[in-house]
Amino acid sequence: MENVAIARVLAEIGDLLEIRGDNPFKIRAYRNASQVLLDHPERVSGLAAADLRALPGVGKDIAGRVTELIQTGVSTFHQELAAEFPAGLLDVLRLQGVGPKTAALLFRELQVGSIDDLTRALDSGAVRDVRGMGAGKEAQLRKAIDDHQTFAGRHLASEVWKQAHVLLAHLAEGFPDATFDLVGSLRRGAETCGDLDVLATNAPVDVMAHLVGFGRVERVLGQGATKSSVRLVRGLQADLRLVPAISRGAALQYFTGSKAHNIELRDRALRQGLTLNEYGLYRLDDHASVAGETEAGIYEALGLPWIPPELREGRGELEAARTGHLPTLVERSDLRGDLHCHTTATDGKDSIRAMALAARDAGLTYLAITDHSQALAMANGLDEHRALAHAAVVRGIDDELDGITLLTGIECDIRADGTMDLADDCLAQLDVVVASVHSQLAQDGDRMTDRVLRALECPWVDILGHPTGRMLLRREPSGLDIEAVVTAAARLGVAMEINGQPHRRDLHDVHARWARDRGVRIVLSSDAHGVGGFDHLHWATFTARRAGLRPADILTCQALPDLRASLRRHRGAPA
Ligand code: DGT
Ligand code: CA
Ligand code: CA
Ligand code: ZN
């Protein structure tokens, strides 16, 4: 039995106990154990009972359930729990804002056992009549179902990336001479992916059997000689295509997409008397092959320069390529510094010094320490006094370090009324101020816009952090009028952030392009909360590339002296 399968049963026990209203410690214990087994490098089913018990988070009870599972293929405890509720109730529980109490109530009062049942109950008006529900809860549930439908089946790109690399290692281990390429939306640097697309060349058909034998495969959806699909853990589908080496370029092009880009490209081919598919570019009259081995060769035969995958969204890139207007996109290695990170002073996991060294290892030459301000009490946010004391510590550590310069700063909350969370006199003494909204994101659009516009008027605000507050697959952007904010930021010389946290990617690429076009300078930030967080700069870079940004559009591609001079506080009064 695979670790994945055992982990899934334990996680489900946790969910079912939660609906039943069982002991929270017990619920957490099952969930912890599930994660431990999922991450365990060797097969748990091969372990002796004592070794199983020795795993962190696996106590006597859970070890017993796991042993039963391994020996019999089922857990009677899981089956008993599952028999108490309809299977679809777990989907209801996973809706945003539906806790176990609500799920249990909906089941008991209205026999809701699935999302479809819930939709029907909402449509009939039955939900609002249940004691403890009401119109507010009704609206919340409707929104949760809407979101579920919008987000269903999509995965954060960073999650897909992690799984992709484990899969690639498995494939390469079996076929060291083959070439495996990641294609699809992941290669285009998209924010979320519907599935994981992998292309194989120089491999025998046996590669398909090897895919199916991968330890993280939960279900085989189809296995063929040129295409196979499997479902991996967490419901991620992976497609593997196999083409001959002479078609690698054509297949890279075709399976990278996007569909919109491919359709435009195929139209262009047709107008030149050519036909394009995943095997090559051919003349229509005599079917002679024109290109196919390399991707650049395909574009070249169509009279175009190679187009970076991040731009292949059908947003005018073919026209730009044809007329010689493709930008030279920013690369991760162009980034010279980072102006947004957190330390143990607030909600970060690592010290100032550790963050500085990690930034240096990540190839950066300067780093601003921007911990939270007091409004974020949960994060132990800094008041004026602590902010200035923290800045003094940062300066002291900066003096001791070579190869990286620390800047003092703050991520200052923008209060609900648009005033800044710290006094001007404090903000003025720091090297850089990022202003961000963290509370009352549900404010109506006009109020949110006024709030942010007012914050931008504060002369010490250099950067607007994660402007829309969205959380991919979890929370829609705020009602902010982004056009009004972009216009004000351009006028006042405030830079706007592309936050690289994989669930933020905020600004969104379309907005970032807009902002640049209207004269706003862009900052790429990690928003690292630990030494590993500088990896986020890769995601910020993907978004910037999708936005068509060049190094010259980005403040953090400047060396420190130029960066300092470019910050709003050093630019003097706006013209
Ligand atoms: P996703 O999976 O929703 O994040 O987005 P993609 O772009 O990865 O889409 P997917 O996996 O359905 O297909 C991968 C690529 O294959 C897609 O970007 C372009 C190509 N492709 C798929 N279907 C078609 C099609 O009907 N026509 C053309 N020209 N290309 C297609
Ligand atoms: Ca895909
Ligand atoms: Ca696919
Ligand atoms: Zn923030």
Side-chain angles (χ1 to χ4, degrees):
M1 192 170 211
E2 299 290 349
N3 293 358
V4 202
I6 304 171
R8 190 160 18 121
V9 173
L10 295 182
E12 255 182 51
I13 292 178
D15 290 344
L16 291 162
L17 288 173
E18 196 170 14
I19 296 182
R20 203 204 224 183
D22 220 300
N23 176 345
F25 291 101
K26 190 161 153 193
I27 296 166
R28 198 168 318 136
Y30 276 96
R31 290 192 173 143
N32 272 342
S34 170
Q35 191 61 47
V36 167
L37 296 199
L38 195 60
D39 293 339
H40 194 68
E42 33 173 4
R43 270 184 168 220
V44 175
S45 57
L47 293 181
D51 294 332
L52 190 57
R53 280 288 305 276
L55 292 177
V58 180
K60 181 162 143 281
D61 285 358
I62 295 183
R65 312 248 188 256
V66 172
T67 306
E68 183 195 5
L69 250 176
I70 293 169
Q71 286 170 356
T72 70
V74 292
S75 153
T76 39
F77 184 55
H78 174 249
Q79 288 183 323
E80 283 162 20
L81 277 172
E84 292 179 29
F85 311 101
L89 193 56
L90 290 176
D91 299 331
V92 177
L93 177 66
R94 284 174 197 131
L95 289 175
Q96 190 73 32
V98 176
K101 271 212 200 80
T102 305
L105 187 64
L106 288 167
F107 173 60
R108 212 173 46 236
E109 299 294 324
L110 302 172
Q111 290 76 52
V112 165
S114 67
I115 291 177
D116 283 348
D117 289 350
L118 179 56
T119 307
R120 272 191 294 275
L122 284 165
D123 289 346
S124 73
V127 171
R128 88 181 71 119
D129 294 336
V130 174
R131 258 175 73 94
M133 285 289 182
K137 190 76 188 174
E138 187 183 61
Q140 192 195 354
L141 289 171
R142 276 195 197 284
K143 175 151 190 329
I145 292 178
D146 270 3
D147 286 353
H148 171 79
Q149 278 156 356
T150 319
F151 298 150
R154 298 205 66 84
H155 306 261
L156 212 55
S158 57
E159 291 301 319
V160 178
W161 190 263
K162 277 187 221 151
Q163 295 220 43
H165 285 278
V166 183
L167 174 61
L168 286 190
H170 169 80
L171 292 172
E173 193 187 347
F175 297 89
D177 299 330
T179 306
F180 298 101
D181 295 293
L182 297 175
V183 287
S185 48
L186 189 63
R187 183 170 179 229
R188 302 198 308 278
E191 296 159 351
T192 64
C193 301
D195 64 1
L196 165 58
D197 299 291
V198 183
L199 177 66
T201 37
N202 285 317
V205 177
D206 303 350
V207 71
M208 296 303 183
H210 189 63
L211 167 74
V212 165
F214 178 45
R216 294 191 175 200
V217 169
E218 278 195 347
R219 193 141 63 88
V220 179
L221 305 171
Q223 186 180 343
T226 59
K227 176 182 176 181
S228 296
S229 296
V230 294
R231 217 162 87 169
L232 305 176
V233 288
R234 301 202 181 89
L236 176 65
Q237 178 175 330
D239 291 345
L240 179 64
R241 267 100 172 183
L242 175 60
V243 299
I246 49 158
S247 292
R248 176 167 171 241
L252 272 173
Q253 197 292 311
Y254 184 91
F255 293 115
T256 296
S258 67
K259 201 164 164 178
H261 175 87
N262 285 1
I263 288 170
E264 272 189 56
L265 197 66
R266 197 161 45 190
D267 283 350
R268 182 176 175 83
L270 286 173
R271 287 197 301 274
Q272 299 181 12
L274 301 166
T275 173
L276 178 62
N277 61 31
E278 62 267 51
Y279 295 104
L281 182 66
Y282 306 91
R283 278 209 297 264
L284 275 171
D285 48 13
D286 61 1
H287 298 283
S289 170
V290 177
E293 201 166 348
T294 70
E295 197 176 51
I298 300 271
Y299 285 98
E300 194 188 332
L302 294 169
L304 299 170
W306 179 82
I307 300 176
E310 294 91 337
L311 294 178
R312 300 183 197 169
E313 295 291 348
R315 297 177 185 158
E317 68 277 8
L318 283 193
E319 184 59 14
R322 190 182 65 79
T323 56
H325 288 94
L326 280 183
T328 302
L329 298 179
V330 61
E331 293 179 21
R332 166 64 182 84
S333 56
D334 294 325
L335 298 181
R336 311 286 285 273
D338 184 5
L339 299 177
H340 189 167
C341 79
H342 299 268
T343 71
T344 47
T346 60
D347 61 351
K349 288 199 292 285
D350 291 303
S351 67
I352 299 167
R353 181 184 302 272
M355 293 300 281
L357 297 178
R360 191 177 69 185
D361 287 346
L364 303 178
T365 61
Y366 53 90
L367 174 68
I369 303 293
T370 55
D371 274 298
H372 288 292
S373 63
Q374 56 192 355
L376 274 192
M378 270 185 3
N380 190 24
L382 308 174
D383 60 17
E384 283 88 356
H385 180 74
R386 282 180 64 213
L388 293 177
H390 189 45
V393 176
V394 169
R395 286 193 198 97
I397 294 174
D398 177 51
D399 285 342
E400 299 166 12
L401 294 176
D402 291 326
I404 180 112
T405 303
L406 292 179
L407 303 181
T408 62
I410 192 94
E411 182 183 14
C412 187
D413 258 60
I414 300 173
R415 295 191 192 129
D417 63 356
T419 54
M420 298 299 290
D421 189 31
L422 297 180
D424 278 15
D425 152 61
C426 168
L427 300 179
Q429 296 180 57
L430 302 171
D431 294 322
V432 57
V433 171
V434 181
S436 307
V437 167
H438 290 115
S439 59
Q440 302 194 46
L441 281 142
Q443 257 176 352
D444 82 69
D446 287 348
R447 284 191 65 192
M448 180 60 81
T449 306
D450 288 346
R451 174 183 185 180
V452 172
L453 290 177
R454 181 166 181 195
L456 297 188
E457 294 293 337
C458 168
W460 304 108
V461 169
D462 299 296
I463 301 165
L464 180 63
H466 46 72
T468 74
R470 71 165 180 180
M471 292 282 183
L472 289 165
L473 305 179
R474 279 189 252 157
R475 185 169 77 205
E476 294 291 344
S478 76
L480 191 71
D481 175 348
I482 196 90
E483 188 159 15
V485 170
V486 161
T487 306
R491 177 173 55 84
L492 296 166
V494 178
M496 289 175 83
E497 178 182 77
I498 294 177
N499 187 298
Q501 283 202 23
H503 56 270
R504 287 197 184 272
R505 310 276 298 268
D506 182 9
L507 290 172
H508 170 57
D509 48 37
V510 171
H511 291 156
R513 180 181 301 222
W514 250 40
R516 188 273 317 271
D517 289 347
R518 284 160 180 75
V520 174
R521 283 99 35 83
I522 305 290
V523 161
L524 269 56
S525 300
S526 72
D527 198 357
H529 282 66
V531 293
F534 295 104
D535 283 354
H536 299 162
L537 290 172
H538 289 284
W539 298 110
T541 305
F542 263 137
T543 291
R545 290 171 63 84
R546 290 171 63 82
L549 301 193
R550 304 151 302 184
D553 300 318
I554 298 167
L555 286 191
T556 40
C557 290
Q558 296 180 341
L560 184 55
D562 296 332
L563 174 272
R564 277 191 199 275
S566 302
L567 288 175
R568 187 238 197 123
R569 62 185 57 221
H570 300 299
R571 294 187 358 143

